[in-house]
Amino acid sequence: MSSVSAVDTLMSDFLHKTGGVAVIDGGLATELERYGADLNDPLWSAKCLLTSTHLIRQVHLDYLEAGADILITASYQATIQGFEAKGYSSEDGESMLRRSVEIAREARDVYYQRCRESSSDYTGDGRILKHRPILAAASVGSYGAYLADGSEYSGDYGDAMNLEFLKDFHRRRVQVLAESGADLIAFETVPNKLEAQAFAELLEEGINVPAWFSFNSKDGVTVVSGDSLAECAAIADSCNKVVAVGINCTPPRFIGGLISTIKKVTTKPILIYPNSGENYDAQLKQWVQNTGVPDEDFVSYVNTWCEMGASLVGGCCRTTPDTIRAIYKTLPSRSASIPVAEKLQRESGRSIINAT
């Protein structure tokens, strides 16, 4: 396991300020669609960087007002190559990557202003307006996300794939995001060991912001490619720029066992942001309805995950601000500051605070 570095200390300080557990935001695409965005496009949620930046900003704000401490930018499926395929220049693509971080930072500024103007940390309509440290995490999706064929859920890039190709594919994107003003880089839904190694090596090429690595699993044992989760997490642990290691876009029922595996190879903070448990149909490019778990069941896992070692918790695909608000309220370090009247009503099942 790696030794503690100055970069690790930055995350430790942040977690100390959040009471020991930080709340990550939830699904972006689901909320953009709820606001009317059409994401049937190879760029997916990144399409809104071209057409609807105000919607991205609004979703970020919704998550901050639900209690999120970390905003993940709308750059998961935003690649320079992807923008070029739509007829944009590489400079345009780089501009869109920077814009994704600017939007998250703008949302944070607007939120802080609302906090200053509010007379209470908790409003009657359920919004949380509590000034606290908030990080903007620049999302980097896998090569499979760029392919837009569901291969980030299989990790199968073909036998011809190699380390140098993946490094070349991601290099400029990572450089741009690292220089964009983001607080950290979130390498998300990493589906195989090869891509984890590519990301780790890119971080050693003069990148000066911290990062997290988040893998996905479909069996609760290995990452989706079948590669060993322990070996993948060990790659992240060995990289001095990586400040947290964990799991995203994975059914909640698998998380406990995956935390146990990660703990065996790293002492870095563990992050967990599962999906709703629904199944994704790569052919139809949509989530299969009624295959997930309701918010109350999702949230029932949270304190167990934290007891097992998770210190950053949120949601991925198909989770909403309601999910994140419920996570915030179930964490002992946060619920202690919720007004007594609301706690009593919530515990008796008669909460008058309506989710927005």
Side-chain angles (χ1 to χ4, degrees), residues 176-210:
V176 170
L177 288 172
E179 297 165 358
S180 66
D183 298 297
L184 57 90
I185 298 175
F187 293 102
E188 302 188 277
T189 325
V190 183
N192 56 46
K193 184 178 175 181
L194 185 67
E195 197 152 24
Q197 187 66 44
F199 288 145
E201 293 187 15
L202 285 176
L203 285 173
E204 299 302 330
E205 295 183 0
I207 300 300
N208 293 317
V209 296

PDB file of all heavy atoms in Angstrom, residues 176-210:
ATOM      1  N   VAL A 176      -6.433  19.079 -20.430  1.00  0.00           N
ATOM      2  CA  VAL A 176      -7.339  20.230 -20.461  1.00  0.00           C
ATOM      3  C   VAL A 176      -8.145  20.317 -19.172  1.00  0.00           C
ATOM      4  O   VAL A 176      -8.267  21.390 -18.563  1.00  0.00           O
ATOM      5  CB  VAL A 176      -8.281  20.143 -21.685  1.00  0.00           C
ATOM      6  CG1 VAL A 176      -9.382  21.195 -21.596  1.00  0.00           C
ATOM      7  CG2 VAL A 176      -7.490  20.328 -22.977  1.00  0.00           C
ATOM      8  N   LEU A 177      -8.683  19.206 -18.732  1.00  0.00           N
ATOM      9  CA  LEU A 177      -9.496  19.215 -17.518  1.00  0.00           C
ATOM     10  C   LEU A 177      -8.650  19.544 -16.284  1.00  0.00           C
ATOM     11  O   LEU A 177      -9.103  20.237 -15.370  1.00  0.00           O
ATOM     12  CB  LEU A 177     -10.200  17.872 -17.337  1.00  0.00           C
ATOM     13  CG  LEU A 177     -11.344  17.605 -18.330  1.00  0.00           C
ATOM     14  CD1 LEU A 177     -11.846  16.178 -18.201  1.00  0.00           C
ATOM     15  CD2 LEU A 177     -12.494  18.590 -18.132  1.00  0.00           C
ATOM     16  N   ALA A 178      -7.408  19.077 -16.286  1.00  0.00           N
ATOM     17  CA  ALA A 178      -6.523  19.355 -15.147  1.00  0.00           C
ATOM     18  C   ALA A 178      -6.195  20.838 -15.039  1.00  0.00           C
ATOM     19  O   ALA A 178      -5.918  21.351 -13.947  1.00  0.00           O
ATOM     20  CB  ALA A 178      -5.241  18.542 -15.272  1.00  0.00           C
ATOM     21  N   GLU A 179      -6.240  21.530 -16.181  1.00  0.00           N
ATOM     22  CA  GLU A 179      -5.910  22.962 -16.205  1.00  0.00           C
ATOM     23  C   GLU A 179      -7.147  23.851 -16.193  1.00  0.00           C
ATOM     24  O   GLU A 179      -7.043  25.072 -16.363  1.00  0.00           O
ATOM     25  CB  GLU A 179      -5.082  23.251 -17.468  1.00  0.00           C
ATOM     26  CG  GLU A 179      -3.734  22.533 -17.494  1.00  0.00           C
ATOM     27  CD  GLU A 179      -3.084  22.536 -18.866  1.00  0.00           C
ATOM     28  OE1 GLU A 179      -3.709  23.081 -19.814  1.00  0.00           O
ATOM     29  OE2 GLU A 179      -1.967  21.988 -19.000  1.00  0.00           O
ATOM     30  N   SER A 180      -8.312  23.265 -15.960  1.00  0.00           N
ATOM     31  CA  SER A 180      -9.580  23.986 -16.119  1.00  0.00           C
ATOM     32  C   SER A 180     -10.093  24.640 -14.841  1.00  0.00           C
ATOM     33  O   SER A 180     -11.105  25.340 -14.867  1.00  0.00           O
ATOM     34  CB  SER A 180     -10.648  23.016 -16.628  1.00  0.00           C
ATOM     35  OG  SER A 180     -10.909  22.032 -15.635  1.00  0.00           O
ATOM     36  N   GLY A 181      -9.419  24.388 -13.726  1.00  0.00           N
ATOM     37  CA  GLY A 181      -9.907  24.920 -12.461  1.00  0.00           C
ATOM     38  C   GLY A 181     -10.675  23.913 -11.635  1.00  0.00           C
ATOM     39  O   GLY A 181     -11.219  24.258 -10.577  1.00  0.00           O
ATOM     40  N   ALA A 182     -10.726  22.661 -12.081  1.00  0.00           N
ATOM     41  CA  ALA A 182     -11.371  21.608 -11.296  1.00  0.00           C
ATOM     42  C   ALA A 182     -10.546  21.324 -10.042  1.00  0.00           C
ATOM     43  O   ALA A 182      -9.325  21.475 -10.038  1.00  0.00           O
ATOM     44  CB  ALA A 182     -11.506  20.334 -12.128  1.00  0.00           C
ATOM     45  N   ASP A 183     -11.229  20.903  -8.994  1.00  0.00           N
ATOM     46  CA  ASP A 183     -10.528  20.571  -7.752  1.00  0.00           C
ATOM     47  C   ASP A 183      -9.879  19.191  -7.824  1.00  0.00           C
ATOM     48  O   ASP A 183      -8.894  18.927  -7.141  1.00  0.00           O
ATOM     49  CB  ASP A 183     -11.499  20.629  -6.576  1.00  0.00           C
ATOM     50  CG  ASP A 183     -12.080  22.022  -6.392  1.00  0.00           C
ATOM     51  OD1 ASP A 183     -11.308  22.947  -6.106  1.00  0.00           O
ATOM     52  OD2 ASP A 183     -13.301  22.186  -6.564  1.00  0.00           O
ATOM     53  N   LEU A 184     -10.458  18.321  -8.619  1.00  0.00           N
ATOM     54  CA  LEU A 184      -9.882  16.997  -8.822  1.00  0.00           C
ATOM     55  C   LEU A 184     -10.448  16.400 -10.099  1.00  0.00           C
ATOM     56  O   LEU A 184     -11.400  16.932 -10.681  1.00  0.00           O
ATOM     57  CB  LEU A 184     -10.157  16.083  -7.625  1.00  0.00           C
ATOM     58  CG  LEU A 184     -11.594  15.837  -7.184  1.00  0.00           C
ATOM     59  CD1 LEU A 184     -12.191  14.629  -7.902  1.00  0.00           C
ATOM     60  CD2 LEU A 184     -11.650  15.585  -5.685  1.00  0.00           C
ATOM     61  N   ILE A 185      -9.846  15.305 -10.547  1.00  0.00           N
ATOM     62  CA  ILE A 185     -10.330  14.582 -11.720  1.00  0.00           C
ATOM     63  C   ILE A 185     -10.966  13.279 -11.258  1.00  0.00           C
ATOM     64  O   ILE A 185     -10.376  12.554 -10.451  1.00  0.00           O
ATOM     65  CB  ILE A 185      -9.188  14.293 -12.710  1.00  0.00           C
ATOM     66  CG1 ILE A 185      -8.578  15.598 -13.218  1.00  0.00           C
ATOM     67  CG2 ILE A 185      -9.695  13.459 -13.889  1.00  0.00           C
ATOM     68  CD1 ILE A 185      -7.362  15.405 -14.107  1.00  0.00           C
ATOM     69  N   ALA A 186     -12.156  12.995 -11.766  1.00  0.00           N
ATOM     70  CA  ALA A 186     -12.860  11.758 -11.413  1.00  0.00           C
ATOM     71  C   ALA A 186     -12.804  10.810 -12.608  1.00  0.00           C
ATOM     72  O   ALA A 186     -13.505  11.006 -13.598  1.00  0.00           O
ATOM     73  CB  ALA A 186     -14.309  12.057 -11.042  1.00  0.00           C
ATOM     74  N   PHE A 187     -11.930   9.803 -12.521  1.00  0.00           N
ATOM     75  CA  PHE A 187     -11.897   8.765 -13.544  1.00  0.00           C
ATOM     76  C   PHE A 187     -12.997   7.758 -13.188  1.00  0.00           C
ATOM     77  O   PHE A 187     -12.873   7.031 -12.194  1.00  0.00           O
ATOM     78  CB  PHE A 187     -10.525   8.092 -13.591  1.00  0.00           C
ATOM     79  CG  PHE A 187      -9.427   9.000 -14.066  1.00  0.00           C
ATOM     80  CD1 PHE A 187      -8.537   9.581 -13.172  1.00  0.00           C
ATOM     81  CD2 PHE A 187      -9.278   9.283 -15.419  1.00  0.00           C
ATOM     82  CE1 PHE A 187      -7.521  10.418 -13.609  1.00  0.00           C
ATOM     83  CE2 PHE A 187      -8.262  10.126 -15.879  1.00  0.00           C
ATOM     84  CZ  PHE A 187      -7.383  10.700 -14.970  1.00  0.00           C
ATOM     85  N   GLU A 188     -14.047   7.745 -13.992  1.00  0.00           N
ATOM     86  CA  GLU A 188     -15.259   7.025 -13.600  1.00  0.00           C
ATOM     87  C   GLU A 188     -15.536   5.799 -14.468  1.00  0.00           C
ATOM     88  O   GLU A 188     -15.186   5.757 -15.644  1.00  0.00           O
ATOM     89  CB  GLU A 188     -16.473   7.943 -13.732  1.00  0.00           C
ATOM     90  CG  GLU A 188     -16.406   9.222 -12.932  1.00  0.00           C
ATOM     91  CD  GLU A 188     -17.736   9.940 -12.997  1.00  0.00           C
ATOM     92  OE1 GLU A 188     -17.984  10.669 -13.975  1.00  0.00           O
ATOM     93  OE2 GLU A 188     -18.538   9.750 -12.069  1.00  0.00           O
ATOM     94  N   THR A 189     -16.222   4.833 -13.857  1.00  0.00           N
ATOM     95  CA  THR A 189     -16.692   3.645 -14.571  1.00  0.00           C
ATOM     96  C   THR A 189     -15.536   2.990 -15.319  1.00  0.00           C
ATOM     97  O   THR A 189     -15.677   2.581 -16.466  1.00  0.00           O
ATOM     98  CB  THR A 189     -17.853   3.986 -15.538  1.00  0.00           C
ATOM     99  OG1 THR A 189     -18.666   5.017 -14.968  1.00  0.00           O
ATOM    100  CG2 THR A 189     -18.743   2.784 -15.794  1.00  0.00           C
ATOM    101  N   VAL A 190     -14.395   2.890 -14.654  1.00  0.00           N
ATOM    102  CA  VAL A 190     -13.210   2.282 -15.271  1.00  0.00           C
ATOM    103  C   VAL A 190     -13.466   0.775 -15.360  1.00  0.00           C
ATOM    104  O   VAL A 190     -13.633   0.111 -14.343  1.00  0.00           O
ATOM    105  CB  VAL A 190     -11.939   2.567 -14.457  1.00  0.00           C
ATOM    106  CG1 VAL A 190     -10.712   1.993 -15.160  1.00  0.00           C
ATOM    107  CG2 VAL A 190     -11.770   4.070 -14.214  1.00  0.00           C
ATOM    108  N   PRO A 191     -13.497   0.220 -16.585  1.00  0.00           N
ATOM    109  CA  PRO A 191     -13.991  -1.149 -16.726  1.00  0.00           C
ATOM    110  C   PRO A 191     -12.934  -2.247 -16.759  1.00  0.00           C
ATOM    111  O   PRO A 191     -13.289  -3.427 -16.731  1.00  0.00           O
ATOM    112  CB  PRO A 191     -14.709  -1.090 -18.080  1.00  0.00           C
ATOM    113  CG  PRO A 191     -13.866  -0.143 -18.887  1.00  0.00           C
ATOM    114  CD  PRO A 191     -13.349   0.877 -17.893  1.00  0.00           C
ATOM    115  N   ASN A 192     -11.666  -1.861 -16.844  1.00  0.00           N
ATOM    116  CA  ASN A 192     -10.640  -2.903 -16.939  1.00  0.00           C
ATOM    117  C   ASN A 192      -9.297  -2.406 -16.413  1.00  0.00           C
ATOM    118  O   ASN A 192      -9.078  -1.207 -16.212  1.00  0.00           O
ATOM    119  CB  ASN A 192     -10.511  -3.429 -18.383  1.00  0.00           C
ATOM    120  CG  ASN A 192     -10.211  -2.328 -19.386  1.00  0.00           C
ATOM    121  OD1 ASN A 192      -9.344  -1.480 -19.170  1.00  0.00           O
ATOM    122  ND2 ASN A 192     -10.950  -2.314 -20.498  1.00  0.00           N
ATOM    123  N   LYS A 193      -8.410  -3.356 -16.210  1.00  0.00           N
ATOM    124  CA  LYS A 193      -7.097  -3.063 -15.635  1.00  0.00           C
ATOM    125  C   LYS A 193      -6.239  -2.233 -16.575  1.00  0.00           C
ATOM    126  O   LYS A 193      -5.494  -1.346 -16.143  1.00  0.00           O
ATOM    127  CB  LYS A 193      -6.416  -4.396 -15.302  1.00  0.00           C
ATOM    128  CG  LYS A 193      -5.088  -4.291 -14.602  1.00  0.00           C
ATOM    129  CD  LYS A 193      -4.547  -5.683 -14.277  1.00  0.00           C
ATOM    130  CE  LYS A 193      -3.164  -5.635 -13.671  1.00  0.00           C
ATOM    131  NZ  LYS A 193      -2.664  -7.020 -13.387  1.00  0.00           N
ATOM    132  N   LEU A 194      -6.336  -2.484 -17.874  1.00  0.00           N
ATOM    133  CA  LEU A 194      -5.521  -1.770 -18.856  1.00  0.00           C
ATOM    134  C   LEU A 194      -5.807  -0.276 -18.824  1.00  0.00           C
ATOM    135  O   LEU A 194      -4.884   0.551 -18.837  1.00  0.00           O
ATOM    136  CB  LEU A 194      -5.787  -2.324 -20.252  1.00  0.00           C
ATOM    137  CG  LEU A 194      -4.920  -1.760 -21.381  1.00  0.00           C
ATOM    138  CD1 LEU A 194      -3.466  -2.189 -21.194  1.00  0.00           C
ATOM    139  CD2 LEU A 194      -5.441  -2.213 -22.747  1.00  0.00           C
ATOM    140  N   GLU A 195      -7.087   0.091 -18.748  1.00  0.00           N
ATOM    141  CA  GLU A 195      -7.421   1.516 -18.747  1.00  0.00           C
ATOM    142  C   GLU A 195      -7.040   2.165 -17.420  1.00  0.00           C
ATOM    143  O   GLU A 195      -6.634   3.333 -17.385  1.00  0.00           O
ATOM    144  CB  GLU A 195      -8.900   1.723 -19.048  1.00  0.00           C
ATOM    145  CG  GLU A 195      -9.228   3.135 -19.474  1.00  0.00           C
ATOM    146  CD  GLU A 195     -10.429   3.235 -20.389  1.00  0.00           C
ATOM    147  OE1 GLU A 195     -11.285   2.325 -20.364  1.00  0.00           O
ATOM    148  OE2 GLU A 195     -10.511   4.210 -21.149  1.00  0.00           O
ATOM    149  N   ALA A 196      -7.134   1.415 -16.329  1.00  0.00           N
ATOM    150  CA  ALA A 196      -6.675   1.943 -15.045  1.00  0.00           C
ATOM    151  C   ALA A 196      -5.185   2.268 -15.114  1.00  0.00           C
ATOM    152  O   ALA A 196      -4.738   3.318 -14.622  1.00  0.00           O
ATOM    153  CB  ALA A 196      -6.949   0.930 -13.936  1.00  0.00           C
ATOM    154  N   GLN A 197      -4.410   1.393 -15.732  1.00  0.00           N
ATOM    155  CA  GLN A 197      -2.974   1.629 -15.875  1.00  0.00           C
ATOM    156  C   GLN A 197      -2.710   2.842 -16.760  1.00  0.00           C
ATOM    157  O   GLN A 197      -1.828   3.655 -16.471  1.00  0.00           O
ATOM    158  CB  GLN A 197      -2.293   0.394 -16.467  1.00  0.00           C
ATOM    159  CG  GLN A 197      -0.784   0.482 -16.509  1.00  0.00           C
ATOM    160  CD  GLN A 197      -0.163   0.520 -15.124  1.00  0.00           C
ATOM    161  OE1 GLN A 197      -0.556  -0.242 -14.240  1.00  0.00           O
ATOM    162  NE2 GLN A 197       0.786   1.424 -14.911  1.00  0.00           N
ATOM    163  N   ALA A 198      -3.496   2.990 -17.817  1.00  0.00           N
ATOM    164  CA  ALA A 198      -3.332   4.149 -18.704  1.00  0.00           C
ATOM    165  C   ALA A 198      -3.586   5.444 -17.946  1.00  0.00           C
ATOM    166  O   ALA A 198      -2.821   6.411 -18.063  1.00  0.00           O
ATOM    167  CB  ALA A 198      -4.290   4.028 -19.890  1.00  0.00           C
ATOM    168  N   PHE A 199      -4.660   5.483 -17.154  1.00  0.00           N
ATOM    169  CA  PHE A 199      -4.971   6.686 -16.382  1.00  0.00           C
ATOM    170  C   PHE A 199      -3.855   6.985 -15.369  1.00  0.00           C
ATOM    171  O   PHE A 199      -3.447   8.137 -15.192  1.00  0.00           O
ATOM    172  CB  PHE A 199      -6.300   6.525 -15.651  1.00  0.00           C
ATOM    173  CG  PHE A 199      -7.507   6.578 -16.550  1.00  0.00           C
ATOM    174  CD1 PHE A 199      -8.625   5.797 -16.281  1.00  0.00           C
ATOM    175  CD2 PHE A 199      -7.553   7.408 -17.657  1.00  0.00           C
ATOM    176  CE1 PHE A 199      -9.756   5.852 -17.083  1.00  0.00           C
ATOM    177  CE2 PHE A 199      -8.678   7.472 -18.475  1.00  0.00           C
ATOM    178  CZ  PHE A 199      -9.779   6.684 -18.186  1.00  0.00           C
ATOM    179  N   ALA A 200      -3.379   5.949 -14.680  1.00  0.00           N
ATOM    180  CA  ALA A 200      -2.330   6.144 -13.678  1.00  0.00           C
ATOM    181  C   ALA A 200      -1.064   6.712 -14.320  1.00  0.00           C
ATOM    182  O   ALA A 200      -0.430   7.618 -13.755  1.00  0.00           O
ATOM    183  CB  ALA A 200      -2.030   4.821 -12.978  1.00  0.00           C
ATOM    184  N   GLU A 201      -0.702   6.206 -15.481  1.00  0.00           N
ATOM    185  CA  GLU A 201       0.500   6.705 -16.145  1.00  0.00           C
ATOM    186  C   GLU A 201       0.307   8.128 -16.661  1.00  0.00           C
ATOM    187  O   GLU A 201       1.241   8.940 -16.627  1.00  0.00           O
ATOM    188  CB  GLU A 201       0.906   5.749 -17.269  1.00  0.00           C
ATOM    189  CG  GLU A 201       1.374   4.395 -16.743  1.00  0.00           C
ATOM    190  CD  GLU A 201       1.950   3.487 -17.811  1.00  0.00           C
ATOM    191  OE1 GLU A 201       2.257   3.979 -18.920  1.00  0.00           O
ATOM    192  OE2 GLU A 201       2.107   2.278 -17.529  1.00  0.00           O
ATOM    193  N   LEU A 202      -0.885   8.462 -17.129  1.00  0.00           N
ATOM    194  CA  LEU A 202      -1.156   9.832 -17.574  1.00  0.00           C
ATOM    195  C   LEU A 202      -1.028  10.824 -16.420  1.00  0.00           C
ATOM    196  O   LEU A 202      -0.552  11.949 -16.603  1.00  0.00           O
ATOM    197  CB  LEU A 202      -2.546   9.924 -18.201  1.00  0.00           C
ATOM    198  CG  LEU A 202      -2.710   9.332 -19.598  1.00  0.00           C
ATOM    199  CD1 LEU A 202      -4.166   9.417 -20.044  1.00  0.00           C
ATOM    200  CD2 LEU A 202      -1.814  10.045 -20.604  1.00  0.00           C
ATOM    201  N   LEU A 203      -1.459  10.420 -15.235  1.00  0.00           N
ATOM    202  CA  LEU A 203      -1.376  11.312 -14.080  1.00  0.00           C
ATOM    203  C   LEU A 203       0.063  11.655 -13.719  1.00  0.00           C
ATOM    204  O   LEU A 203       0.324  12.704 -13.107  1.00  0.00           O
ATOM    205  CB  LEU A 203      -2.077  10.683 -12.873  1.00  0.00           C
ATOM    206  CG  LEU A 203      -3.607  10.694 -12.899  1.00  0.00           C
ATOM    207  CD1 LEU A 203      -4.168   9.890 -11.724  1.00  0.00           C
ATOM    208  CD2 LEU A 203      -4.148  12.116 -12.873  1.00  0.00           C
ATOM    209  N   GLU A 204       0.992  10.792 -14.112  1.00  0.00           N
ATOM    210  CA  GLU A 204       2.402  11.047 -13.818  1.00  0.00           C
ATOM    211  C   GLU A 204       3.053  11.938 -14.870  1.00  0.00           C
ATOM    212  O   GLU A 204       4.233  12.262 -14.776  1.00  0.00           O
ATOM    213  CB  GLU A 204       3.159   9.721 -13.719  1.00  0.00           C
ATOM    214  CG  GLU A 204       2.657   8.791 -12.620  1.00  0.00           C
ATOM    215  CD  GLU A 204       2.714   9.420 -11.242  1.00  0.00           C
ATOM    216  OE1 GLU A 204       3.608  10.267 -11.002  1.00  0.00           O
ATOM    217  OE2 GLU A 204       1.862   9.082 -10.405  1.00  0.00           O
ATOM    218  N   GLU A 205       2.288  12.356 -15.880  1.00  0.00           N
ATOM    219  CA  GLU A 205       2.831  13.205 -16.946  1.00  0.00           C
ATOM    220  C   GLU A 205       2.590  14.689 -16.654  1.00  0.00           C
ATOM    221  O   GLU A 205       2.084  15.435 -17.476  1.00  0.00           O
ATOM    222  CB  GLU A 205       2.205  12.824 -18.292  1.00  0.00           C
ATOM    223  CG  GLU A 205       2.550  11.421 -18.761  1.00  0.00           C
ATOM    224  CD  GLU A 205       1.966  11.099 -20.129  1.00  0.00           C
ATOM    225  OE1 GLU A 205       1.279  11.970 -20.723  1.00  0.00           O
ATOM    226  OE2 GLU A 205       2.182   9.972 -20.612  1.00  0.00           O
ATOM    227  N   GLY A 206       2.926  15.104 -15.456  1.00  0.00           N
ATOM    228  CA  GLY A 206       2.841  16.518 -15.120  1.00  0.00           C
ATOM    229  C   GLY A 206       1.459  17.012 -14.724  1.00  0.00           C
ATOM    230  O   GLY A 206       1.224  18.235 -14.690  1.00  0.00           O
ATOM    231  N   ILE A 207       0.533  16.121 -14.425  1.00  0.00           N
ATOM    232  CA  ILE A 207      -0.799  16.535 -13.963  1.00  0.00           C
ATOM    233  C   ILE A 207      -0.700  16.963 -12.503  1.00  0.00           C
ATOM    234  O   ILE A 207      -0.179  16.211 -11.658  1.00  0.00           O
ATOM    235  CB  ILE A 207      -1.815  15.381 -14.121  1.00  0.00           C
ATOM    236  CG1 ILE A 207      -1.918  14.958 -15.590  1.00  0.00           C
ATOM    237  CG2 ILE A 207      -3.173  15.804 -13.571  1.00  0.00           C
ATOM    238  CD1 ILE A 207      -2.365  16.047 -16.535  1.00  0.00           C
ATOM    239  N   ASN A 208      -1.206  18.151 -12.211  1.00  0.00           N
ATOM    240  CA  ASN A 208      -0.993  18.726 -10.877  1.00  0.00           C
ATOM    241  C   ASN A 208      -2.253  18.839 -10.030  1.00  0.00           C
ATOM    242  O   ASN A 208      -2.288  19.606  -9.066  1.00  0.00           O
ATOM    243  CB  ASN A 208      -0.339  20.107 -11.008  1.00  0.00           C
ATOM    244  CG  ASN A 208       1.068  20.027 -11.547  1.00  0.00           C
ATOM    245  OD1 ASN A 208       1.853  19.168 -11.135  1.00  0.00           O
ATOM    246  ND2 ASN A 208       1.398  20.896 -12.483  1.00  0.00           N
ATOM    247  N   VAL A 209      -3.284  18.099 -10.386  1.00  0.00           N
ATOM    248  CA  VAL A 209      -4.471  18.051  -9.539  1.00  0.00           C
ATOM    249  C   VAL A 209      -4.690  16.605  -9.110  1.00  0.00           C
ATOM    250  O   VAL A 209      -4.314  15.671  -9.829  1.00  0.00           O
ATOM    251  CB  VAL A 209      -5.733  18.586 -10.253  1.00  0.00           C
ATOM    252  CG1 VAL A 209      -5.586  20.050 -10.582  1.00  0.00           C
ATOM    253  CG2 VAL A 209      -6.039  17.785 -11.498  1.00  0.00           C
ATOM    254  N   PRO A 210      -5.283  16.397  -7.934  1.00  0.00           N
ATOM    255  CA  PRO A 210      -5.541  15.028  -7.480  1.00  0.00           C
ATOM    256  C   PRO A 210      -6.643  14.368  -8.298  1.00  0.00           C
ATOM    257  O   PRO A 210      -7.344  15.023  -9.074  1.00  0.00           O
ATOM    258  CB  PRO A 210      -5.961  15.217  -6.016  1.00  0.00           C
ATOM    259  CG  PRO A 210      -6.475  16.612  -5.935  1.00  0.00           C
ATOM    260  CD  PRO A 210      -5.681  17.402  -6.939  1.00  0.00           C
TER     261      PRO A 210
END
